[in-house]
Amino acid sequence: MMKCSVELPVEYLEYSDRFDYDFVIASTYVSHPEYKKWYLDRKDTERFQKYSILDNGAFETGESLPSKEYLEIANELRPSILVLPDVAFNPIKTLERSLEMVNFIRSNANEYARAVPPSIKLMGVIQANGSRDAAIMLGHAYRNAGVDYIGIPYISKLDRYQLITECFPNDKIHILGCPTLPEAVSLC
């Protein structure tokens, strides 16, 4: 069953209950105090604890927040799913930053890594920049690292339906952005 949420502008957060789950953008959380307060007030609700996603904000800013700052937010909110760091249109930097974060969390290297509970699932993003080979490579690397979900952004320049059905048919997939209704229908 497909779940649906959207990235709501700060002034429309009151409409978030019309969607299936909360989708929090870390860069907006840092830059807008009212957005931060909204999600801090919701983090202990059954809805938020049942299913919520913390996104790193790479689409909005070009690159994820620094790891320490991002993990502080994850520890504060304790979402269901944490989107690993990625860099828009750069599969190599995305892989480096994502696997660095996975290893950091699993190593319990410091207080930030230790504070991320094992119940938080991880999502790796396919930043393939149009390369099917890069998408497949990222998917395999995420699987080998024990990442729970694969996120495929609409800026990937790939046919997402074809990529999912041919390359990731058994993976837990999250569609990051859906600009057209026909694509939404085809992905259901």
Side-chain angles (χ1 to χ4, degrees):
M1 181 174 142
M2 181 184 273
K3 294 180 184 178
C4 181
S5 188
V6 297
E7 181 182 333
L8 288 168
V10 175
E11 60 271 16
Y12 296 113
L13 288 172
E14 65 199 56
Y15 297 107
S16 64
D17 287 338
R18 295 183 182 201
F19 300 96
D20 296 324
Y21 61 93
D22 288 310
F23 188 79
V24 185
I25 306 294
S27 55
T28 308
Y29 185 88
V30 169
S31 63
H32 291 79
E34 62 276 23
Y35 188 87
K36 179 177 181 175
K37 182 181 180 332
W38 174 266
Y39 286 110
L40 282 174
D41 289 347
R42 293 174 69 83
K43 73 176 187 166
D44 293 324
T45 64
E46 182 180 342
R47 171 193 160 88
F48 193 89
Q49 290 179 358
K50 184 178 178 184
Y51 194 86
S52 55
I53 296 177
L54 177 60
D55 184 85
N56 59 54
F59 176 76
E60 292 74 18
T61 61
E63 192 166 343
S64 305
L65 292 175
S67 295
K68 180 182 173 196
E69 186 176 10
Y70 190 43
L71 286 176
E72 286 174 348
I73 296 168
N75 291 330
E76 209 168 47
L77 292 176
R78 301 209 182 269
S80 309
I81 299 171
L82 178 69
V83 178
L84 294 167
D86 62 305
V87 180
F89 306 110
N90 193 324
I92 301 301
K93 280 190 176 181
T94 293
L95 184 60
E96 288 171 358
R97 292 218 41 213
S98 292
L99 295 183
E100 179 183 285
M101 173 81 67
V102 169
N103 292 331
F104 184 70
I105 290 170
R106 296 210 172 118
S107 73
N108 290 317
N110 65 38
E111 65 199 79
Y112 300 108
R114 282 190 295 275
V116 175
S119 61
I120 294 179
K121 305 295 184 199
L122 303 176
M123 181 188 303
V125 178
I126 302 292
Q127 285 289 0
N129 200 22
S131 168
R132 184 179 171 87
D133 290 340
I136 293 167
M137 181 231 10
L138 283 165
H140 286 299
Y142 291 144
R143 270 191 228 111
N144 290 338
V147 172
D148 307 283
Y149 290 83
I150 294 176
I152 306 175
Y154 79 89
I155 61 168
S156 65
K157 299 179 183 174
L158 293 166
D159 179 330
R160 294 191 293 180
Y161 177 78
Q162 184 179 21
L163 187 67
I164 293 166
T165 56
E166 292 177 9
C167 304
F168 306 116
N170 300 314
D171 291 288
K172 294 179 183 174
I173 300 293
H174 180 85
I175 300 299
L176 293 162
C178 199
T180 67
L181 185 58
E183 183 181 33
V185 170
S186 75
L187 294 169
C188 288

